[in-house]
């Protein structure tokens, strides 16, 4: 699947096997940036071959340009139906020999045929601890529900929205006085750590899907790693 590449002179020299990624965006692309930065690291086992946006003014396109990553704008408005749009995406992805698609703030619902075509090669980052708070406005819903711990999830995509085998999650404490914005910022910071981690786990072959769940073959956090909110009073 992957091929061994050596970067051209003047760029990062790497001899690790790199998984070919595509990142699909619709907006500012801070998660795209986190992936770009991770891929620039020596021996990161993946590289971005293509960035696709359905919005021509997505800020993330400039991030890709700056990193000299090929971009494509495929506007959903230019297609008569969802399948035609999805087919155009697949054609672009296959032309770039993409092995793993990372949805990063891509604001289009993909059709069943596309998702099945790319089954287990299509992942998404969602700003909540799935299966809680699917859909939009996750931080508002988390605050309304009064949860003490929020977070984000990277998961394989299935036909149902925000459902699919969970690869990795990061949790943050909800603080008194948190607003959608403050909580969102704190979660987003963790998204930027989590997405590269999930990609790395996949690229290194540490993730397999079994019985509808993703199983990891790498180190776990360990039973002592916990986030308790509020903090228990110190022992006297
Ligand atoms: C992130 O919160 C991501 O979890 C969600 O869309 C947002 C995209 O943000 N799917 P950015 O464009 O990566 O900054």
């Amino acid at each position: 699947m992957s091929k061994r590449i050596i970067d051209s002179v003047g760029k990062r020299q790497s001899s690790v096997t790199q998984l070919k990624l595509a990142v699909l965006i619709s907006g500012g692309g801070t998660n795209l940036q986190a992936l770009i930065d991770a891929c620039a690291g020596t021996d990161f086992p993946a590289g971005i071959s293509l960035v696709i946006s359905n919005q021509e003014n997505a800020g993330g396109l400039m991030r890709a340009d700056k990193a000299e990553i090929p971009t494509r704008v495929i506007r959903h408005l230019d297609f008569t139906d969802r399948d035609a749009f999805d087919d155009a995406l697949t054609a672009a992805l296959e032309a770039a020999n993409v092995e793993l698609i990372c949805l990063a703030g891509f604001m289009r619902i993909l059709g069943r045929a596309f998702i099945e075509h790319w089954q287990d090669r299509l992942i998404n980052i969602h700003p909540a601890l799935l299966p809680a708070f699917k859909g939009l406005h996750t931080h508002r819903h988390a605050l309304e529900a009064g949860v003490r711990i929020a977070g984000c999830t990277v998961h394989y995509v299935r036909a149902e929205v925000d459902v699919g085998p969970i690869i990795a999650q990061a949790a943050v404490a909800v603080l008194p006085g948190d607003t959608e914005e403050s909580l969102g910022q704190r979660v987003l910071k963790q998204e930027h750590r989590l997405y590269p981690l999930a990609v790395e786990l996949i690229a290194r072959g540490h993730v397999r899907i079994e019985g509808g769940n993703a199983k990891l073959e790498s180190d776990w956090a360990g039973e002592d790693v916990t986030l308790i909110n509020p903090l228990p009073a110190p022992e006297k």
Side-chain angles (χ1 to χ4, degrees):
M1 280 242 297
S2 311
K3 72 173 198 233
R4 188 166 287 267
I5 65 158
I6 307 287
D7 289 351
S8 57
V9 178
K11 287 198 166 180
R12 175 175 60 95
Q13 299 285 313
S14 168
S15 61
V16 290
T17 303
Q18 291 196 309
L19 192 70
K20 284 171 157 259
L21 310 178
V23 185
L24 270 54
I25 60 166
S26 300
T30 64
N31 277 289
L32 165 64
Q33 188 65 55
L35 291 170
I36 291 172
D37 294 345
C39 291
T42 316
D43 295 336
F44 191 77
I48 305 174
S49 302
L50 181 63
V51 170
I52 300 179
S53 173
N54 66 317
Q55 301 282 358
E56 66 241 23
N57 55 0
L61 289 169
M62 281 190 288
R63 298 178 187 271
D65 284 345
K66 200 166 165 211
E68 296 176 27
I69 297 166
T71 60
R72 286 282 309 273
V73 174
I74 302 179
R75 285 165 25 104
H76 57 280
L77 296 172
D78 291 341
F79 296 86
T80 45
D81 58 51
R82 192 193 301 281
D83 285 347
F85 171 67
D86 288 358
D87 288 348
L89 289 179
T90 289
L93 293 161
E94 289 185 340
N97 296 316
V98 165
E99 295 170 303
L100 180 70
I101 305 168
C102 303
L103 304 180
F106 185 66
M107 300 304 284
R108 297 301 298 169
I109 292 178
L110 295 160
R112 180 178 287 274
F114 180 93
I115 290 169
E116 286 176 1
H117 180 79
W118 292 98
Q119 167 106 357
D120 301 343
R121 298 179 293 160
L122 174 60
I123 64 175
N124 179 47
I125 187 155
H126 180 74
L129 291 172
L130 291 173
F133 310 123
K134 296 170 187 158
L136 298 173
H137 310 300
T138 53
H139 308 305
R140 185 190 310 167
H141 296 311
L143 291 172
E144 281 167 2
V147 296
R148 299 260 184 257
I149 293 173
C152 50
T153 304
V154 179
H155 65 99
Y156 285 100
V157 174
R158 294 293 183 261
E160 206 180 325
V161 176
D162 297 329
V163 168
I166 291 172
I167 302 156
Q169 293 186 304
V172 304
V174 177
L175 302 180
D178 253 340
T179 60
E180 252 180 279
E181 289 69 33
S182 63
L183 178 58
Q185 281 306 315
R186 205 167 327 110
V187 171
L188 190 62
K189 207 166 151 192
Q190 299 311 313
E191 292 183 39
H192 299 158
R193 298 174 70 193
L194 194 70
Y195 218 170
L197 170 66
V199 167
E200 182 167 5
L201 288 173
I202 293 169
R204 292 198 190 282
H206 292 321
V207 187
R208 72 196 145 81
I209 296 174
E210 207 181 280
N213 286 337
K215 306 280 181 195
L216 298 184
E217 284 164 15
S218 57
D219 289 335
W220 287 88
E223 63 189 40
D224 291 335
V225 177
T226 53
L227 171 57
I228 301 177
N229 184 31
L231 280 177
E235 279 177 34
K236 298 207 172 109

